Amino acid sequence: MLNLESEIRKLEMSGIDMLHFDVMDGVFVNNITYGLPILEAVNKTTGMFLDVHLMITDPLKYVPRFAECGADMITFHIESQSDVMETIDAIKKCGAKAAVSIKPATPAEAVFEFLPYVDMVLVMTVEPGFGGQSFIPETADKVRQIRSKITELGLAADVQVDGGINAETAPIVINAGANILVSGSYLFKAADMAEAAAKLKEVTPSV
Ligand code: ZN
């Protein structure tokens, strides 16, 4: 925690637009992270937009706590055990933006009925649970299907991708219709994070 402040300053200077927090309970995915204390500390340190991705079994139960700790947006999985509409409502009631996410094996259609109620859809481009995995190319089709449904319905929801995003995969997902890219390993392993972030941000749709 001693280096938190200097790490946050580095992130603020890198040109990225928001901080993405992966929260895992060791049940919904086979990994555990302790989200709340870190989120609270980060929230006290920066004014950056805090995007919280809950990979937990019962997100509804924890929505108010994450909102209290500074989450500006809360994303949860429709594969979790919580009622989807109830969870979306709970997030909005806390004043945060609401988003739903799907794992690679879940079809795009599964989120269609919720599109009018969410600010964003997160399409997992790797199996959730661990960083450093390779992008699953088939997930780009789901991004495309969800983006066209959003357009068809005349909505303004964002489409986020998470997993294996780097300078090579960014054009694939952006062309498919994603407009928010989560990048972990690619940015953190880069010699110059700002330069790596700029590379992702300069990708524009080529179709
Ligand atoms: Zn994530």
Side-chain angles (χ1 to χ4, degrees):
M1 292 298 272
L2 282 176
N3 291 323
L4 181 69
E5 192 161 348
S6 64
E7 286 300 314
I8 295 291
R9 296 297 163 246
K10 189 176 149 193
L11 291 164
E12 284 173 341
M13 299 303 285
S14 72
I16 59 171
D17 300 297
M18 55 179 81
L19 295 179
H20 180 86
F21 285 81
D22 282 326
V23 178
M24 311 180 196
D25 63 0
V27 180
F28 185 73
V29 291
N30 190 24
N31 196 359
I32 299 182
T33 54
Y34 297 96
L36 285 160
I38 303 267
L39 181 69
E40 199 171 17
V42 170
N43 188 43
K44 283 180 182 154
T45 313
T46 183
M48 286 186 82
F49 187 92
L50 305 180
D51 168 30
V52 175
H53 177 196
L54 300 179
M55 287 172 270
I56 62 179
T57 306
D58 191 4
L60 179 57
K61 192 169 152 189
Y62 294 95
V63 159
R65 290 172 68 191
F66 280 97
E68 276 162 28
C69 287
D72 294 301
M73 167 130 69
I74 299 178
T75 304
F76 67 98
H77 278 263
I78 65 165
E79 304 94 345
S80 74
Q81 283 170 13
S82 301
D83 180 80
V84 176
M85 270 320 296
E86 222 179 302
T87 309
I88 291 171
D89 289 342
I91 296 170
K92 288 182 172 174
K93 219 168 137 191
C94 290
K97 290 189 168 191
V100 287
S101 181
I102 48 171
K103 293 181 178 187
T106 305
E109 295 80 22
V111 298
F112 286 0
E113 64 180 295
F114 306 113
L115 291 177
Y117 312 103
V118 295
D119 296 288
M120 187 182 84
V121 177
L122 164 55
V123 178
M124 285 304 300
T125 41
V126 299
E127 202 55 56
F130 293 90
Q133 298 183 66
S134 297
F135 174 76
I136 303 170
E138 292 75 22
T139 58
D141 288 331
K142 289 205 293 186
V143 170
R144 197 168 285 113
Q145 290 169 49
I146 291 168
R147 174 54 75 197
S148 17
K149 195 69 185 175
I150 289 170
T151 308
E152 184 192 317
L153 296 173
L155 301 167
D158 292 311
V159 180
Q160 183 181 57
V161 287
D162 184 5
I165 302 301
N166 54 40
E168 284 73 48
T169 55
I172 303 171
V173 290
I174 285 178
N175 280 324
N179 65 322
I180 300 180
L181 276 53
V182 174
S183 187
S185 311
Y186 165 74
L187 290 180
F188 285 100
K189 284 182 184 161
D192 184 339
M193 188 187 278
E195 196 183 294
K199 235 184 227 172
L200 292 187
K201 293 186 82 170
E202 72 195 15
V203 179
T204 47
S206 62
V207 283

